[in-house]
Amino acid sequence: MKFLHTADWHVGKVLRGRSRFDEHVKVLDELVGVALEEDVDAVIVAGDVFDGAVPTPPSQALVMRTLMALQEGGREVVVLAGNHDDPRLLDDVYRPVLRQLGIRVIGRFRRPDAGGLLSWTARTGEPVRLAAMPFLSQRYVVRALEALTGTPDQHNRDYAHRFARLAEALTEGFRADTVNLIAAHGTLPGGRLGGGEREAQTIFSYYFESAAFPPSAHYAALGHLHRRQRMPGPCPIWYSGSPIAVDFGEERNTPGALVVEASPGRPADVREVTLESARVLRTVTGTLGELEAMADGLGDAWLRVVVAEKPRAGLADDVREVLPNALTVDVDEAFRPTASRRRTAVTGADAPTPRELFRAYLDHKGHEDERVVALFDRLYDELDEREG
């Protein structure tokens, strides 16, 4: 059988105040085109279809339209909840409706006999088993009492251990004569970050080990890290990466997806597919004159601009006059006044984020403890999710 592995769409993403909706329309249309051209038997969307827990109606309409287009022709489509998605929305709203159309949606972990282990027969005739493992928050996998009494290292081990137990339960139904697949959303140690992932949910306390996946699996389709990459393990394990560069930390990523061929008795064959519909993200540096000289060669790229001049009133406005696609404007560190070099934003630039302010405070106080930073990141993300 042949299937398409994709993840981390982040529909609804707003980058420095600019909507990416039109880009997402083009990118997801291109993704549907890949599924049709390759004539895949199935599509796995391994989490983070939305960028936030409360997606806008246009974002929901685009995702719904894309999933239905992917399913045309009788393809199996499987969608997991990621850490950006609201599992209740996927389970309680999307799941009952889309199941009538042949699209399987999994928002929360389920028992193997209650939708955690999916079974179907591919159009090519092979029986398929897929263990579905949506994102699992640490506060659910590690009980509250243990969180109050245990150490951080114990919590990390507990998360990885319990994830492995869940994987074991979900994959017990794998057989020698079936195509055995795993779809999961989370972080493996050693994975290279794309640059736009949520910090609090890519730290050590959310790691699980590749040993959780059994050798009987022909392929593990992962989401969460935005850089496309293969991970070491007892079976072929891949992150598909995001089909769109989500933030400037990902400007060197190659957006795309994976086309996978699998059959009983042999490891899967994986082929990378590049998607080119989204606008490029670029960081450019120079004086105002140098930036103006390079403007014609930048096309429609979204820009992060670093100005090699001393800060002054109106500098950001002058930059945006010659580079209208400049989303952020910063002054090169070498040109900042000494007292402000620790700041991440300067006159005319975007205000520092709460994370940046907290790190600057710790730096000012002389505190260097990554555990405190990680706890702040987790708290901030949980509040962000709650407020939608």
Side-chain angles (χ1 to χ4, degrees):
M1 66 167 291
K2 183 192 291 188
F3 62 92
L4 181 67
H5 170 199
T6 178
D8 298 290
W9 294 356
H10 289 276
V11 175
K13 175 67 179 179
V14 175
L15 180 61
R16 308 297 196 270
R18 303 291 183 97
S19 170
R20 310 290 300 278
F21 185 79
D22 291 342
E23 294 176 74
H24 268 114
V25 170
K26 295 177 181 178
V27 166
L28 295 181
D29 282 348
E30 187 178 3
L31 191 69
V32 171
V34 171
L36 294 174
E37 183 179 347
E38 295 285 346
D39 193 26
V40 297
D41 302 294
V43 179
I44 298 173
V45 187
D48 282 355
V49 289
F50 296 112
D51 191 61
V54 188
T56 63
S59 295
Q60 296 191 57
L62 176 57
V63 167
M64 182 79 79
R65 185 168 71 244
T66 301
L67 294 176
M68 292 172 64
L70 288 170
Q71 195 273 337
E72 285 182 7
R75 295 178 190 85
E76 290 286 340
V77 177
V78 178
V79 184
L80 302 184
N83 59 299
H84 281 252
D85 301 313
D86 181 354
R88 297 166 298 180
L89 175 67
L90 267 61
D91 266 349
D92 302 339
V93 178
Y94 281 86
R95 179 184 175 89
V97 175
L98 292 180
R99 188 66 192 96
Q100 302 301 314
L101 304 174
I103 300 169
R104 306 176 191 238
V105 177
I106 302 96
R108 306 177 182 90
F109 265 80
R110 293 177 173 271
R111 296 175 56 86
D113 56 359
L117 180 64
L118 307 179
S119 302
W120 72 86
T121 300
R123 293 183 299 173
T124 48
E126 295 100 333
V128 181
R129 301 287 183 273
L130 186 146
M133 306 187 71
F135 177 74
L136 184 65
S137 172
Q138 194 197 50
R139 66 179 180 269
Y140 293 118
V141 76
V142 179
R143 290 183 301 180
L145 178 60
E146 293 168 339
L148 290 172
T149 60
T151 67
D153 286 344
Q154 288 172 330
H155 298 163
N156 302 342
R157 289 193 299 269
D158 285 345
Y159 185 91
H161 175 67
R162 295 184 184 196
F163 184 95
R165 289 182 61 188
L166 291 168
E168 181 182 11
L170 289 171
T171 58
E172 282 182 351
F174 285 1
R175 302 200 312 258
D177 62 344
T178 57
V179 175
N180 301 319
L181 308 175
I182 298 169
H185 192 92
T187 308
L188 283 175
R192 293 172 295 156
L193 301 183
E197 301 89 350
R198 264 189 185 152
E199 296 177 59
Q201 289 158 348
T202 52
I203 58 174
F204 51 86
S205 57
Y206 276 93
Y207 283 169
F208 55 83
E209 299 292 338
S210 60
F213 303 139
S216 57
H218 296 103
Y219 184 81
L222 302 189
H224 188 47
L225 301 189
H226 295 175
R227 186 189 298 268
R228 192 162 60 255
Q229 57 192 299
R230 180 171 183 172
M231 303 298 297
C235 65
I237 304 171
W238 280 81
Y239 284 98
S240 68
S242 176
I244 185 172
V246 173
D247 211 332
F248 283 101
E250 302 181 10
E251 60 186 275
R252 295 185 180 180
N253 290 1
T254 304
L258 296 166
V259 174
V260 185
E261 295 186 56
S263 60
R266 66 179 182 87
D269 179 62
V270 182
R271 179 160 44 89
E272 300 183 44
V273 176
T274 300
L275 300 176
E276 301 176 346
S277 298
R279 293 171 70 167
V280 174
L281 306 184
R282 287 190 60 178
T283 298
V284 293
T285 303
T287 64
L288 189 59
E290 291 169 339
L291 294 170
E292 186 173 9
M294 68 176 73
D296 290 341
L298 296 175
D300 67 347
W302 294 123
L303 302 175
R304 176 172 58 181
V305 180
V306 180
V307 189
E309 293 185 6
K310 292 182 179 180
R312 57 177 171 79
L315 179 58
D317 293 333
D318 291 343
V319 169
R320 290 190 171 96
E321 185 173 341
V322 298
L323 298 176
N325 290 334
L327 300 188
T328 66
V329 179
D330 289 312
V331 170
D332 191 299
E333 185 74 21
F335 290 87
R336 297 183 188 182
T338 303
S340 66
R341 286 188 180 178
R342 289 182 179 175
R343 298 181 58 192
T344 59
V346 296
T347 302
D350 292 339
T353 66
R355 286 193 177 92
E356 292 166 342
L357 289 171
F358 186 69
R359 284 160 173 75
Y361 169 77
L362 292 179
D363 182 49
H364 176 69
K365 291 294 186 180
H367 297 305
E368 295 183 4
D369 191 335
E370 285 302 314
R371 293 174 300 176
V372 175
V373 172
L375 287 171
F376 179 87
D377 286 340
R378 188 188 305 167
L379 174 63
Y380 181 76
D381 277 344
E382 288 182 3
L383 289 173
D384 185 47
E385 289 176 4
R386 196 173 303 163
E387 294 175 2

